[in-house]
């Protein structure tokens, strides 16, 4: 007799069946956002969504979903409808999202390195910490040039220039004076790669020991090699943790990020019903929901507010709201076509 | 896997912050949300004789708000 086997690793699980073809369902709990779409879609009610509010907010060591291996028929539907790739379904080691016969949700997030100026705004804004921007800054010494010299005969080793230098370009080697050598410094060094010729040292030197000139100040603007001023780099989006929420696209000052969302819809919060408990704010994977700043200390915050620009209409907030104050409607689902009417029907059933 | 709301009266200070913080309680009774402790046992939990007591735990939606506010781990979801 052929039966499913379930292996549970930490909070993840793997259900598989080896018959003519090998079918496997793999669940990754740290990717799961607790939206419950899999639970609603499973044709055999094998998946049960846990108490996600409590799990996420109290960091409980409990999986967000559980799947009953005795009920699971390994159809793969949960994997196809999962908006974040927490469920992976493989037939003979091939992911069905890559198979033409099966539909899959259309969503993506990309950063075009040709346009990207590596400002890191997206890296900071990404609610899933899925973006890494690696950048190489231009060399300071190529952007500003000049002359600087310290007359060691005149210098009294006071160290004011070292302390004042905003670029940390001046280093003094301090030493204790001896009867043999009563000076307090053995050397003073200017690192010309760091010096920006701001002339702060020259102006603050009490004995006028520093001669310095900035090329721009002396001769006016001069042409830089534009390549020397350029910041280069590379961007990286971790597609596994990315939820295609659109923060990067919205925040990018040069429109280098492009996000395609699989769901369109509406999110509404009933301000009358809302008790401002914050469960939705904590569960939302996209930082869509937030509390307006409290008017005074000790005051209960105002009701919750939302910015639908970043919503993926996953419905996690609706599920978690203890007082049913949130409604998430999905009006359109983008997915690749399938010849199977039953699969198509299931995909369309994600609309609410 | 549904979690269950639990209390440990030995840890409870009777401060009532869970009663006030609970969004379901607030939607049942505005007085409770305002911290005035109406006597209704319709709410999920109330402080009685200085200790937390569950009255209607079946109304709990497991959002975890009470646990976040409780200073002594006297109320939690498991």
């Amino acid at each position: 007799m052929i039966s499913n086997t379930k292996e549970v690793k930490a909070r993840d699980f793997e259900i598989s069946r080896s018959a003519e073809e090998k079918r496997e369902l793999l669940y990754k709990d740290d990717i799961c956002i607790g939206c419950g779409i899999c639970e609603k879609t499973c044709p055999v009610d094998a998946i049960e969504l846990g108490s996600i509010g409590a799990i996420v907010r109290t960091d409980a060591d409990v999986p967000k979903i559980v799947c009953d291996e005795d009920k699971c028929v390994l159809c793969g539907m949960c994997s196809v409808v999962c908006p974040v790739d927490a469920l992976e379904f493989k037939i003979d080691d091939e992911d069905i999202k890559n198979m033409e016969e099966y539909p899959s949700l259309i969503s993506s997030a990309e950063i075009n390195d040709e346009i990207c100026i590596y400002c890191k705004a997206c890296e900071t804004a990404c609610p899933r910490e899925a973006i890494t921007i690696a950048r190489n800054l231009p060399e300071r010494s190529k952007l500003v040039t000049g002359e600087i010299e310290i007359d060691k005969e005149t210098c009294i080793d006071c160290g004011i220039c070292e302390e004042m230098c905003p670029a940390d370009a001046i280093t003094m080697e301090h030493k204790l004076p001896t009867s043999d050598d009563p000076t307090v410094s053995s050397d003073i060094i200017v690192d010309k790669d760091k010096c920006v010729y701001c002339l702060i040292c020259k102006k603050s030197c009490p004995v006028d020991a520093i001669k310095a000139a900035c090329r721009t100040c002396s001769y006016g603007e001069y042409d830089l090699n534009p390549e020397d001023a350029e910041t280069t780099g590379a961007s990286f989006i971790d597609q596994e943790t990315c939820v295609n929420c659109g923060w990067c696209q919205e925040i990018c000052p040069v429109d280098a990020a492009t996000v395609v969302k699989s769901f369109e819809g509406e999110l509404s919060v009933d301000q009358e019903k809302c008790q401002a408990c914050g469960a939705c704010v904590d569960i939302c994977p996209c930082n869509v929901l937030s509390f307006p700043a409290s008017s005074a200390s000790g005051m209960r915050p105002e009701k919750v507010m939302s910015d639908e620009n970043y919503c993926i209409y996953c419905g996690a907030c609706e599920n978690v709201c203890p007082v049913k104050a949130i409604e998430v409607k999905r009006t359109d689902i983008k997915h690749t076509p399938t010849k199977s009417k039953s699969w198509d029907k299931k995909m369309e059933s994600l609309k609410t | 896997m549904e979690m269950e709301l639990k209390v440990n009266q030995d840890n409870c200070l009777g401060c009532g912050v869970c009663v006030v913080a609970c969004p379901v309680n607030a939607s049942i009774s505005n007085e409770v949300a305002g911290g005035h402790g109406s006597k209704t046992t319709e709410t999920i939990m109330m402080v009685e004789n200085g200790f937390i007591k569950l009255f209607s735990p079946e109304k709990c939606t497991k959002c975890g708000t009470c646990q976040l506010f409780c200073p002594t781990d006297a109320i939690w979801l498991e």
Side-chain angles (χ1 to χ4, degrees):
Chain A
M1 191 190 132
I2 296 162
S3 64
N4 292 350
T5 48
K6 185 174 182 179
E7 194 181 335
V8 179
K9 293 175 202 148
R11 283 179 289 187
D12 300 348
F13 65 73
E14 187 178 329
I15 296 177
S16 60
R17 186 175 74 213
S18 311
E20 285 285 296
E21 54 182 16
K22 189 169 94 183
R23 297 171 83 91
E24 290 168 286
L25 175 65
L26 297 104
Y27 166 68
K28 287 181 190 159
D29 193 66
D30 57 337
I31 306 292
C32 175
I33 54 173
C35 69
I37 291 178
C38 54
E39 183 192 43
K40 286 187 195 118
T41 317
C42 177
V44 290
D45 292 330
I47 297 178
E48 195 187 335
L49 180 67
S51 310
I52 42 162
I55 292 170
V56 170
R57 304 178 89 193
T58 64
D59 209 14
D61 192 18
V62 179
K64 296 184 196 85
I65 62 166
V66 286
C67 183
D68 185 338
E69 62 172 313
D70 294 333
K71 286 185 185 168
C72 177
V73 292
L74 286 161
C75 67
M77 197 156 275
C78 54
S79 159
V80 162
V81 297
C82 176
V84 296
D85 296 335
L87 288 155
E88 195 182 352
F89 190 73
K90 291 179 186 170
I91 299 176
D92 289 335
D93 296 321
E94 197 184 345
D95 192 327
I96 63 164
K97 288 195 190 87
N98 304 326
M99 294 164 119
E100 244 178 56
E101 307 89 293
Y102 291 93
S104 61
L105 293 175
I106 298 170
S107 64
S108 61
E110 277 167 30
I111 295 171
N112 185 340
D113 278 358
E114 299 281 310
I115 306 172
C116 179
I117 53 168
Y118 310 106
C119 70
K120 294 196 179 198
C122 56
E123 186 183 295
T124 313
C126 178
R128 304 278 286 174
E129 292 179 14
I131 303 177
T132 311
I133 302 288
R135 67 182 180 196
N136 301 311
L137 299 172
E139 271 177 57
R140 243 189 254 179
S141 59
K142 286 188 177 157
L143 302 184
V144 56
T145 57
E147 304 285 335
I148 180 160
E149 208 176 305
I150 300 176
D151 178 1
K152 287 178 190 159
E153 294 300 311
T154 321
C155 175
I156 54 165
D157 306 327
C158 65
I160 290 176
C161 57
E162 183 190 29
E163 234 175 277
M164 290 291 284
C165 178
D168 286 331
I170 303 176
T171 329
M172 209 166 149
E173 280 169 22
H174 300 271
K175 73 169 190 59
L176 286 173
T178 58
S179 54
D180 180 39
D181 177 8
T183 61
V184 291
S185 142
S186 55
D187 205 1
I188 182 160
I189 301 155
V190 180
D191 183 341
K192 290 192 178 168
D193 284 337
K194 285 185 177 172
C195 179
V196 293
Y197 305 98
C198 66
L199 314 186
I200 291 287
C201 56
K202 181 184 168 181
K203 288 172 190 162
S204 59
C205 178
V207 293
D208 255 343
I210 304 176
K211 289 190 179 63
C214 162
R215 206 170 148 198
T216 309
C217 303
S218 310
Y219 309 115
E221 287 300 324
Y222 59 97
D223 288 335
L224 281 171
N225 181 356
E227 271 178 26
D228 288 342
E230 218 172 277
T231 296
T232 57
S235 62
F236 173 75
I237 301 181
D238 180 350
Q239 296 297 341
E240 195 170 62
T241 40
C242 171
V243 293
N244 307 306
C245 64
W247 267 100
C248 53
Q249 179 175 279
E250 284 292 319
I251 209 146
C252 179
V254 292
D255 296 332
T258 316
V259 174
V260 177
K261 299 187 187 196
S262 41
F263 301 152
E264 271 174 48
E266 273 166 54
L267 165 73
S268 52
V269 182
D270 185 334
Q271 299 291 339
E272 291 293 309
K273 284 188 192 166
C274 175
Q275 301 293 342
C277 71
C280 56
V281 176
D282 290 340
I283 198 93
C284 176
C286 312
N287 285 358
V288 166
L289 297 147
S290 58
F291 289 122
S294 180
S295 47
S297 60
M299 292 290 290
R300 235 176 126 97
E302 298 298 311
K303 302 292 172 78
V304 76
M305 56 190 266
S306 63
D307 187 337
E308 272 189 66
N309 270 332
Y310 313 115
C311 186
I312 58 169
Y313 305 103
C314 71
C317 54
E318 181 180 310
N319 286 343
V320 84
C321 178
V323 292
K324 297 191 168 35
I326 302 183
E327 195 184 4
V328 176
K329 277 189 195 158
R330 279 186 290 271
T331 51
D332 196 32
I333 317 286
K334 281 194 216 87
H335 65 87
T336 56
T338 172
K339 283 179 190 150
S340 161
K341 279 193 183 132
S342 59
W343 278 75
D344 200 53
K345 216 167 125 190
K346 275 285 183 183
M347 296 303 278
E348 292 303 310
S349 76
L350 295 176
K351 287 183 192 168
T352 46
Chain B
M1 203 159 51
E2 189 79 338
M3 292 166 116
E4 210 180 310
L5 184 63
K6 304 223 163 148
V7 293
N8 180 349
Q9 293 197 336
D10 290 346
N11 288 356
C12 182
L13 305 172
C15 70
V17 71
C18 56
V19 182
V20 177
C22 173
V24 177
N25 276 3
S27 67
I28 293 167
S29 160
N30 270 325
E31 287 82 10
V32 168
H36 297 297
S38 82
K39 292 293 172 216
T40 174
T41 52
E42 291 293 299
T43 54
I44 295 176
M45 75 293 255
M46 287 290 286
V47 175
E48 197 179 62
N49 302 322
F51 294 107
I52 191 66
K53 195 178 162 190
L54 297 178
F55 286 96
S56 305
E58 74 284 354
K59 290 179 185 167
C60 175
T61 66
K62 283 78 178 176
C63 72
T65 308
C66 55
Q67 184 174 345
L68 290 184
F69 280 89
C70 178
T72 57
D73 297 329
I75 187 161
W76 72 97
L77 288 142
E78 195 176 277

